[in-house]
């Protein structure tokens, strides 16, 4: 191993450095992190970065990770999402120490709020949302005090209890922290702690009509659970002083917040709100549409947990926002599938060939399942007189460097024989319908190879033995690099050709395909059985092509 390699292995990301310092200083016996999704949608690839980070950090340092549903907004949340999120985290390969819900802490949070009121650090404000916004000031001008800021403690306590009891309508009153209306950090200008919302909650039902805001739920939940390192994304940097303020004033367990850059990826939108629009407005078939950047979409498309974890490791943990090229994710899945996917032959756009000198009915040829695997198995593939090859593997008038089949030119059929094209048969419109070829019996693969050399090997299927399958070929869902930052609605930038469906002819071994099996269709890409399949109708999703064609395709246009 080289020194550079060793050096790389040793280098820690900034969060690992913090954790190591804290452990060395004896600040904690062990660390506790959390992953805190809001159950208002399915998880996307951005969340997987946070999952790998939070669970990975705890694993590395012998700590634990809680799963906490941040369910403080009754209107957008749903149990369907809770179940989906749990399935996705487990599929990624992680298990949480405890499953908690911020809503479990509603009573405790309420008590905290009364505590702050008693300490003169919170007050009930009757101002409207617009008035509160106006009095907030601007980053360069201080805010002005609300006329309700000086309400006395007893009155605040009574009003807050009345808020809880349901005496007021939505928006009539709020509870605010009494921090500093002239703080340069706008987050500290008396932030709202509670709002009134007469709405049904997916867990607490109708027991509450006041709900805590993010800033008064998140840090307190961290503290209740004794989270040591609360990792979130950079937009929460300005919230950190408030996070610390609440904990200090309540004198509760001192959890600490740390921030890292969220994952943004090219040709993708990465917000549940936007993904929900794609689902609701029918641009995709659901959250698990294989074109979606959701974990469930990637899984259905044939991504593996290993490939997503590899991706998360490669992008690392940074403190500055950036846009990651989606081809890095595609690279990771190819890397993994190349190792594990069984090879099969499937012809997408068939051209019939007849081997005029092949006298037998059929024979079975052994074909390697995975040349990348030292312990590869072999399957028996039927070979016969009439075969399909890809139409694009033949050219009647080939340019100089075309090494595949053309009149008079020889090519090898994968794991079978060398053939030569003798005659091109066309219909009345001039379309090629069939090729008459001869085969070289002595050229059988794996035998005492003849010394005839050919430049290319192509895949094939025996027509009588072939089974048909639907193949769904996906392209990027957006046609611009960063749809969310373009003018107008991001949906204007959807790629109209993100799905192409074709019927393909497959070797019969694929009849026995099972879910969870990954395949490489030779020269065509990686494929995975879709859940829409049935016994008599096989449907495959293309997980990815074999090489990165995107740049090449773009140049052609
Ligand atoms: P969205 O805007 O997509 O709804 P969110 O941040 O509101 O994202 P949450 O469910 O609140 O989604 O997030 C759960 C955790 O995942 C949070 O800690 C959040 O910081 C993290 N997270 C969300 N999106 C990303 C991303 N793109 N990259 C890294 N971490 C993310
Ligand atoms: Mg959120």
């Amino acid at each position: 191993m080289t020194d550079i390699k060793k050096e790389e292995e040793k280098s820690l990301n900034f969060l690992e450095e913090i954790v190591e310092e804290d452990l060395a200083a004896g600040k904690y016996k062990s660390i506790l992190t959390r992953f805190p999704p809001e159950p208002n949608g399915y998880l996307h690839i951005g969340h997987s970065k946070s999952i790998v980070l939070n669970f990975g950090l705890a694993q590395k340092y012998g700590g634990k990770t809680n799963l906490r549903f941040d369910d403080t907004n009754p209107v957008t949340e749903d149990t369907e999402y809770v179940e989906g999120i749990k399935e996705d985290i487990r599929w990624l390969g992680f298990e949480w120490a405890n499953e908690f819900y911020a809503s479990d802490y509603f009573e405790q949070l309420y008590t905290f709020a009364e505590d702050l009121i008693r300490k003169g650090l919170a007050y009930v404000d009757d101002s409207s949302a617009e008035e509160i916004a106006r009095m907030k000031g601007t980053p360069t001008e201080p805010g002005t005090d609300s006329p309700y800021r000086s309400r006395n403690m007893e009155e605040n306590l009574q009003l807050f209890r009345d808020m809880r009891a349901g005496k007021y309508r939505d928006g009539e009153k709020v509870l605010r922290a009494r921090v500093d209306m002239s703080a340069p950090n706008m987050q500290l200008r008396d932030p709202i702690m509670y709002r009134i919302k007469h709405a049904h909650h997916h867990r607490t039902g109708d027991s509450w009509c006041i709900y805590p805001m993010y800033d008064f739920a998140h840090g307190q939940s961290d503290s209740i659970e004794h989270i040591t390192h609360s990792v979130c994304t950079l937009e929460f940097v300005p919230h950190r002083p408030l996070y610390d303020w609440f904990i200090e004033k309540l004198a509760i367990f001192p959890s600490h917040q740390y921030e890292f850059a969220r994952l943004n990826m090219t040709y993708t939108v990465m917000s549940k709100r936007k993904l929900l629009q794609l689902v609701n407005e029918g641009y995709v078939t659901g959250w698990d549409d294989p074109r979606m950047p959701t974990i469930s979409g990637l899984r259905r498309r044939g991504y593996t947990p290993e490939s997503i974890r590899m991706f998360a490791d490669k992008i690392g943990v940074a403190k500055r926002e950036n846009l990651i090229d989606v081809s890095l994710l595609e690279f990771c899945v190819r890397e993994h599938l190349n190792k594990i996917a069984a090879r099969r032959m499937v012809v997408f756009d068939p051209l019939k060939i007849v081997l005029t000198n092949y006298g037998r009915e059929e024979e079975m040829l052994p074909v390697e399942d995975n040349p990348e695997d030292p312990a590869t198995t072999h399957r028996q593939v039927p070979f016969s007189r009439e075969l399909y090859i890809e139409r694009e593997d033949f050219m009647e008038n080939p340019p100089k460097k075309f090494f595949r089949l053309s009149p008079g030119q020889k090519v090898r059929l994968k794991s079978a024989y060398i053939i030569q094209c003798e005659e091109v048969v066309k219909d009345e419109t001039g379309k090629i319908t069939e090729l008459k070829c001869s085969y070289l019996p002595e050229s059988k693969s794996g035998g005492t190879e003849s010394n005839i050399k050919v430049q290319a090997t192509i895949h094939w299927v025996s027509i009588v033995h072939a089974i048909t399958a639907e193949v769904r070929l996906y392209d990027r869902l957006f046609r611009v690099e960063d749809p969310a930052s373009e003018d107008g609605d991001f949906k204007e930038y959807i790629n109209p050709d993100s799905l192409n469906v074709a019927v393909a002819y497959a070797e019969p071994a694929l009849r026995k395909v099972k879910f969870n099996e990954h395949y490489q269709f030779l020269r065509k890409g990686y494929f995975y059985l879709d859940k829409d399949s049935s016994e008599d109708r096989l449907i495959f999703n293309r997980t990815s092509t074999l090489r990165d064609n995107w740049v090449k395709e773009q140049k052609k246009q």
Side-chain angles (χ1 to χ4, degrees):
M1 200 186 287
T2 64
D3 284 349
I4 295 177
K5 190 90 192 287
K6 270 193 213 145
E7 206 50 47
E8 257 177 19
E9 278 181 1
K10 263 193 286 175
S11 87
L12 302 174
N13 69 44
F14 77 96
L15 288 166
E16 292 168 334
E17 275 172 15
I18 290 168
V19 169
E20 293 206 354
E21 273 169 32
D22 288 350
L23 289 174
K27 208 163 157 189
Y28 311 105
K29 273 210 282 304
S30 68
I31 66 161
L32 183 60
T33 61
R34 88 285 172 265
F35 176 64
E38 187 181 348
N40 62 349
Y42 283 80
L43 299 182
H44 51 61
I45 182 80
H47 292 110
S48 66
K49 177 173 177 182
S50 171
I51 291 170
V52 172
L53 178 60
N54 279 297
F55 284 87
L57 207 55
Q59 271 174 5
K60 181 163 179 182
Y61 295 102
K64 289 192 174 131
T65 305
N66 286 344
L67 169 60
R68 183 196 319 136
F69 289 100
D70 184 9
D71 57 348
T72 52
N73 185 0
V75 189
T76 52
E77 295 160 4
D78 205 314
T79 18
E80 175 198 339
Y81 298 134
V82 168
E83 294 311 315
I85 288 169
K86 292 202 280 188
E87 184 184 352
D88 290 348
I89 300 172
R90 288 210 172 99
W91 179 76
L92 280 172
F94 299 104
E95 193 58 54
W96 46 93
N98 299 289
E99 176 182 332
F100 290 134
Y101 293 79
S103 58
D104 294 342
Y105 309 136
F106 280 172
E107 193 62 51
Q108 174 71 70
L109 294 173
Y110 178 85
T111 311
F112 284 156
E114 283 206 351
D115 182 28
L116 289 179
I117 294 174
R118 278 198 203 85
K119 288 174 173 157
L121 295 171
Y123 62 97
V124 172
D125 196 333
D126 304 359
S127 312
S128 67
E130 296 74 42
E131 284 165 335
I132 290 178
R134 194 158 28 77
M135 289 185 286
K136 200 128 211 201
T138 67
T140 50
E141 291 161 66
T144 36
D145 287 4
S146 158
Y148 303 98
R149 196 175 200 260
S150 47
R151 248 180 185 149
N152 72 50
M153 189 269 280
E154 280 80 17
E155 192 185 352
N156 280 320
L157 208 50
Q158 190 53 50
L159 288 170
F160 187 50
R161 288 176 180 169
D162 291 346
M163 279 169 68
R164 175 181 184 168
K167 282 207 180 158
Y168 306 108
R169 278 168 291 129
D170 288 9
E172 233 183 299
K173 286 184 168 39
V174 290
L175 182 73
R176 296 177 75 177
R178 204 165 190 277
V179 190
D180 180 0
M181 284 308 289
S182 55
N185 178 343
M186 302 278 287
Q187 303 294 335
L188 293 175
R189 295 187 189 172
D190 291 12
I192 296 174
M193 294 166 59
Y194 271 91
R195 68 242 197 265
I196 301 172
K197 233 178 213 178
H198 291 271
H200 189 83
H201 186 279
H202 75 113
R203 279 175 67 86
T204 57
D206 297 312
S207 19
W208 293 88
C209 63
I210 55 170
Y211 290 94
M213 302 296 285
Y214 173 89
D215 285 314
F216 192 66
H218 204 90
Q220 287 41 258
S221 303
D222 284 343
S223 178
I224 291 167
E225 293 175 20
H226 287 205
I227 300 297
T228 56
H229 299 80
S230 174
V231 183
C232 62
T233 45
L234 284 178
E235 60 286 14
F236 291 99
V237 169
H239 295 244
R240 192 185 335 128
L242 186 58
Y243 182 105
D244 294 340
W245 189 88
F246 280 130
I247 284 183
E248 184 202 317
K249 299 300 176 197
L250 290 166
I252 52 179
F253 180 85
S255 297
H256 288 284
Q257 174 185 306
Y258 303 92
E259 309 85 10
F260 73 104
R262 62 195 297 120
L263 166 67
N264 300 303
M265 207 164 67
T266 56
Y267 302 100
T268 310
V269 293
M270 200 85 89
S271 120
K272 282 179 280 185
R273 198 172 47 80
K274 291 199 173 75
L275 297 175
L276 183 63
Q277 285 180 51
L278 296 176
V279 174
N280 285 346
E281 295 170 33
Y283 290 97
V284 293
T285 56
W287 282 97
D288 68 347
D289 187 300
R291 292 166 293 183
M292 290 280 270
T294 49
I295 305 296
S296 48
L298 292 166
R299 173 167 66 230
R300 181 170 168 192
R301 183 155 168 170
Y303 272 72
T304 57
E306 290 86 342
S307 61
I308 294 176
R309 295 201 302 260
M310 187 200 300
F311 173 69
D313 282 344
K314 278 194 186 296
I315 57 182
V317 185
K319 275 201 257 193
R320 209 152 11 104
E321 292 281 348
N322 57 1
L323 187 62
I324 302 286
D325 196 327
V326 66
S327 53
L328 181 63
L329 179 63
E330 293 163 353
F331 167 83
C332 292
V333 78
R334 282 190 199 106
E335 281 277 301
H336 187 225
L337 293 181
N338 183 41
K339 292 198 192 96
I340 63 157
R343 274 55 172 173
R344 294 289 181 263
M345 292 198 281
V346 181
V347 172
F348 283 41
D349 181 14
L351 174 60
K352 178 177 174 181
I353 64 172
V354 179
L355 303 179
T356 50
N357 61 337
Y358 188 78
R360 273 184 279 175
E361 187 130 338
E362 64 175 53
E363 68 186 295
M364 300 302 280
L365 300 174
V367 185
E368 211 172 22
D369 283 323
N370 187 354
E372 293 291 319
D373 179 359
T376 183
T377 45
H378 288 76
R379 66 193 182 282
Q380 299 293 323
V381 180
F383 183 86
S384 68
R385 192 165 180 264
E386 298 191 342
L387 310 169
Y388 282 144
I389 61 166
E390 294 290 348
R391 191 164 279 276
E392 64 178 19
D393 283 338
F394 175 77
M395 277 185 99
E396 196 173 12
N397 301 299
K400 248 199 171 131
K401 286 200 168 153
F402 186 83
F403 297 122
R404 288 166 280 166
L405 201 59
S406 60
Q409 186 159 293
K410 295 187 184 66
V411 75
R412 173 169 291 282
L413 296 177
K414 167 76 187 160
S415 298
Y417 299 94
I418 292 173
I419 61 166
Q420 174 167 331
C421 174
E422 309 290 357
E423 186 189 338
V424 180
V425 183
K426 297 180 183 169
D427 66 12
E428 57 283 3
T429 66
K431 187 178 180 204
I432 301 172
T433 53
E434 183 179 310
L435 303 177
K436 295 206 186 299
C437 301
S438 58
Y439 89 113
L440 278 58
E442 70 279 17
S443 67
K444 188 170 173 174
S445 291
T448 43
E449 303 263 338
S450 64
N451 45 18
I452 311 163
K453 289 278 170 280
V454 290
Q455 299 265 28
T457 300
I458 63 175
H459 63 277
W460 53 272
V461 292
S462 161
I463 297 177
V464 290
H465 300 96
I467 59 171
T468 54
E470 179 179 318
V471 285
R472 296 181 178 170
L473 310 176
Y474 301 104
D475 199 347
R476 293 174 181 176
L477 192 50
F478 291 93
R479 53 190 170 77
V480 295
E481 270 210 344
D482 193 4
S485 73
E486 296 281 344
D487 290 341
D489 188 344
F490 75 99
K491 293 184 294 287
E492 286 167 32
Y493 300 94
I494 286 185
N495 173 7
D497 295 318
S498 60
L499 170 62
N500 273 298
V501 178
V503 173
Y505 298 85
E507 59 171 277
L510 274 175
R511 189 176 284 129
K512 290 188 294 228
V513 56
K514 291 198 224 34
F515 287 103
N516 290 328
E517 290 177 346
H518 298 271
Y519 288 98
Q520 183 193 102
F521 293 175
L522 284 187
R523 303 167 67 216
K524 289 294 178 188
Y526 293 104
F527 286 81
Y528 191 65
L529 193 66
D530 188 77
K531 68 167 191 193
D532 289 346
S533 295
S534 59
E535 199 71 27
D536 47 356
R537 183 160 170 251
L538 292 179
I539 302 169
F540 287 95
N541 295 315
R542 183 171 67 196
T543 312
S544 86
T545 54
L546 292 182
R547 271 174 304 263
D548 190 355
N549 303 342
W550 176 256
V551 178
K552 212 168 64 201
E553 291 290 322
Q554 289 297 291
K555 281 194 187 128
K556 263 197 263 168
Q557 282 170 9

